Each structure stands twice: as C-alpha cells, then as structure tokens.
Amino acid sequence: MFKILDRYIIRKFLGTYIFAIVLILAITVMFDINEKLDALLKAPLKATVFDYFLNFLPYFANQFSPLFTFIAVIFFTSKLADNSEIIAMLSSGVSFKRLMVPYMVSAAVIAASTWVLSAYIIPPANIKRLEYTNTYVKNKRVDYGSNIQLMVAPGEIAYMSRFDNTTKTGYRFSLDKFDGKKLVSRLTSTTIKWDTLYQWQVRDYMIRDIEGMTEKITKGSRLDTIIPIEPRDFLISETDHEKMTSPQLQEYIARQKLRGVANIKSFEIENERRYAICAAAFILTLIGMSLSSKKVKGGMGINIGIGLVLSFSYILFTTVTSSFAISGYTSPFVAMWIPNVIYIIIGIVLYRRASAG
C-alpha cells in the first residue's frame, strides 16, 4: 500500500508533468498557428479544431513525452531539495532507494499512458490530422508510382509500369507465377483497377499457362480476381507509419519483408521507437531524480538548466541515430535503443553518486 509520502511525490510528479505539457502545448499552438495562418484561414473552422488541433495536441505531447517527464522530475525534485524536504525524508529513515519507488511508479503511469496513446489511440487520430494537412497545408500524399515490382506471394511476382492512386488504376500489369525457377503462368493486362481489400479488376487481359512444351492462352476483356496486394503496399509516403496501430504496423512490416520491399525503414523505426520511448520514461526519471535530489548553492535553476541540456541532447541523439538507421548504417532496433543504453549508464552513475552522498 502507498504511504502518505508516496502519494505526495506521485501527486507532485504527475501534476508537474501535466502542467509542463499544458504549458508547452500552449506555446506550440501559438507558433503553429503563426506558421500555418494562411492555410488555417482557408480551412473550415470545424475541421481546424476537430480534425487538426484536437489530434495534433496529443500527437505532439506523446512525441516529446520524455522531455516533459524529465522537466517535471527536475523541476519538482529541485523544489523539494531547495525546501529541504528531501533532507527531511532521508533524515526520517527513508532510504534513497525507497524514495525512488514513487518516482518509478509515476514513471510507470507515464510509460503505460504513452504506450496506449502511441500504439492504439494516436494512429487513428493521425489519419484525420494528416488528411487535413494534405488538404489545406501541404500535400504529401503519394498518388503515383512507376516501375512497381513486388512479390505478392511466394513464387508470384507482380509488375506495373505505372499506378495512379487517384483513380486506383495501374497500367501495363503483369503477374508471373513460378514453380521454383520455372515460369508456369503469366497474366498480362493493359490496365488493372483496385476495388477493396485484395479485389482487383483486370481489363484486356491474357493468361498464358505453361505446361512443359505446351502453352494454353486465355484472353478476355474483363476479369475480377483476388491479388493479395493493395496500393498502400507499394505507394509509401513518409507519414504512413504514423497512421498504423502497433499490431497493424508489425503485420505490415512482416508482410513487406516477405515481399522484398526495401523502403520500410521508417516503419521499423516507428515500431522500435514506441517501445524505446516508454523505457525512456524510467531512464530519464532516474537521471532527473538523482541529479536534482541534492540542494545546491545556485538554487534549482542550475538543476533545471542541466536537465534541459540532458533532455534536449537525448532527443537530438535519438534523431541522429534514426538517420543512421534510415541510411542503413545500423538496424532500427540498435538506432532506437542506443540512446537508452547510454543514458541508463549515465543514470546508474548519477544514482550511485546521489545515494552515496
């Protein structure tokens, strides 16, 4: 059961965390409105409020949750230390290790909330937010593709010379089926149109079934068929990974790897980032508490300054390692977890110094 001291620290921690989020989001909204003022004036007010800002705020807050966590820990712990409250707690017989418990409980609440938001709630909301920005701010949709080739199933290779996503139509389509290295069937058509899920309609088609030295040719003007691909499998924009829940993201990555699609680094990075950002809540809480638990001559301003430097360096480090993964210098898993490994070492060192002092 939580004691009065635990409840006091948890209330202070989470209260400061929420206050920091609200404060920074208010500033962010002001800058965002100023930057996109022309586009926002053209858009309907209802769409701006409910489709954009209502979905933008939780997205931004979740993206920078480690920063908010660190700032909250540094701020309220420095205040406790400055008021000699931590000295009183330790003098009353509470060990530094025991004092860390309510901090870790608070970090667990933040980590759980961050996971639920990033894995299940924010991705559907991002669909509306990105649709708004594509319509009224800057269109980043990928509506066209050329020379598209991918494996739709083991032994089946599809090709389109061009695909128009506005009409859901592909041109000069072919589907080759192999038995080992031997071609056994080839479907070609002048156009192919996507309907729903895996439903496709091929027009002006020809099917060549090859059996040994014989070949059977079937022609027609229209054929409804099932081909296990859809436009999002080959028309990939830079924000598509933000629209998928974690189960959808993991399924998509596995399917694209099976098909031999190469440009899925952003999806793999996003998948690893969602786990790493949850671990960051515990790591940055450990660093923040260890760093600011001692009363210093310069007051809590010094601790807040050091905390801001460390938190922004963590975000910068994560951004740099992400670019390494995109460039292929390292795997997405390593890229997302290197900052956590380095900062957990920093946290352990600071914790030992703080508990020994």
Side-chain angles (χ1 to χ4, degrees), residues 44-56 125 128-129:
L45 179 60
K46 182 178 179 181
T48 300
V49 174
F50 293 100
D51 293 342
Y52 182 66
F53 280 113
L54 194 64
N55 297 312
F56 168 77
K128 293 183 179 180
R129 179 180 64 84

Side-chain angles (χ1 to χ4, degrees), residues 7 31 36 120 139-140 150 162-163 169 213 228 232 256 261 284 304 319 337 342-343 348-349:
R7 293 196 295 270
F31 278 103
K36 300 184 177 75
Y120 298 101
N139 187 7
K140 293 184 179 180
L150 73 163
R162 185 167 63 92
F163 186 84
T169 303
M213 299 298 294
R232 71 171 185 170
Q256 294 297 78
V261 178
L284 296 180
I304 293 174
T319 304
W337 285 92
I342 292 176
Y343 276 75
I348 291 172
V349 171

Side-chain angles (χ1 to χ4, degrees), residues 103-164:
Y103 281 86
M104 289 295 118
V105 171
S106 301
V109 172
I110 293 173
S113 302
T114 300
W115 168 251
V116 172
L117 284 169
S118 61
Y120 298 101
I121 297 176
I122 290 178
N126 280 340
I127 296 175
K128 293 183 179 180
R129 179 180 64 84
L130 293 171
E131 182 63 27
Y132 177 94
T133 56
N134 287 335
T135 303
Y136 300 107
V137 183
K138 184 179 181 180
N139 187 7
K140 293 184 179 180
R141 298 187 190 95
V142 177
D143 289 327
Y144 300 94
S146 59
N147 294 322
I148 300 163
Q149 185 175 25
L150 73 163
M151 183 169 65
V152 301
E156 297 185 19
I157 307 296
Y159 171 81
M160 280 179 273
S161 65
R162 185 167 63 92
F163 186 84
D164 184 349

Side-chain angles (χ1 to χ4, degrees), residues 110-323:
I110 293 173
S113 302
T114 300
W115 168 251
V116 172
L117 284 169
S118 61
Y120 298 101
I121 297 176
I122 290 178
N126 280 340
I127 296 175
K128 293 183 179 180
R129 179 180 64 84
L130 293 171
E131 182 63 27
Y132 177 94
T133 56
N134 287 335
T135 303
Y136 300 107
V137 183
K138 184 179 181 180
N139 187 7
K140 293 184 179 180
R141 298 187 190 95
V142 177
D143 289 327
Y144 300 94
S146 59
N147 294 322
I148 300 163
Q149 185 175 25
L150 73 163
M151 183 169 65
V152 301
E156 297 185 19
I157 307 296
Y159 171 81
M160 280 179 273
S161 65
R162 185 167 63 92
F163 186 84
D164 184 349
N165 198 41
T166 58
T167 60
K168 308 298 182 185
T169 303
Y171 301 89
R172 293 177 58 191
F173 174 78
S174 67
L175 179 64
D176 297 332
K177 295 183 180 180
F178 293 86
D179 183 6
K181 296 183 179 180
K182 183 179 179 182
L183 179 67
V184 295
S185 178
R186 178 178 174 84
L187 182 153
T188 58
S189 67
T190 55
T191 62
I192 181 170
K193 188 168 185 178
W194 181 67
D195 185 7
T196 54
L197 197 56
Y198 296 150
Q199 299 289 334
W200 292 84
Q201 183 184 100
V202 293
R203 299 202 174 196
D204 299 326
Y205 68 92
M206 179 176 68
I207 302 175
R208 297 168 54 199
D209 293 314
I210 303 169
E211 297 179 6
M213 299 298 294
T214 63
E215 183 176 321
K216 178 184 177 182
I217 298 177
T218 305
K219 296 183 178 180
S221 59
R222 172 175 168 174
L223 175 67
D224 293 323
T225 185
I226 295 176
I227 304 174
I229 56 173
E230 50 188 327
R232 71 171 185 170
D233 291 334
F234 49 82
L235 295 181
I236 303 173
S237 72
E238 61 183 29
T239 56
D240 281 350
H241 59 274
E242 298 177 358
K243 303 176 184 177
M244 299 182 186
T245 63
S246 285
Q248 292 171 339
L249 192 61
Q250 292 161 9
E251 180 186 354
Y252 181 84
I253 291 170
R255 188 170 68 247
Q256 294 297 78
K257 282 184 176 180
L258 182 65
R259 290 171 174 167
V261 178
N263 56 338
I264 59 170
K265 289 291 184 183
S266 60
F267 295 87
E268 295 178 299
I269 290 172
E270 174 66 15
N271 185 50
E272 296 298 338
R273 187 195 68 81
R274 293 179 183 180
Y275 291 100
I277 199 173
C278 294
F282 296 97
I283 297 169
L284 296 180
T285 296
L286 176 66
I287 295 175
M289 195 277 180
S290 302
L291 186 66
S292 56
S293 60
K294 300 297 181 182
K295 189 173 183 179
V296 294
K297 292 182 179 179
M300 65 180 183
I302 295 177
N303 288 336
I304 293 174
I306 296 173
L308 287 173
V309 170
L310 283 173
S311 57
F312 280 112
S313 67
Y314 175 85
I315 295 172
L316 178 62
F317 196 12
T318 303
T319 304
V320 171
T321 55
S322 297
S323 66

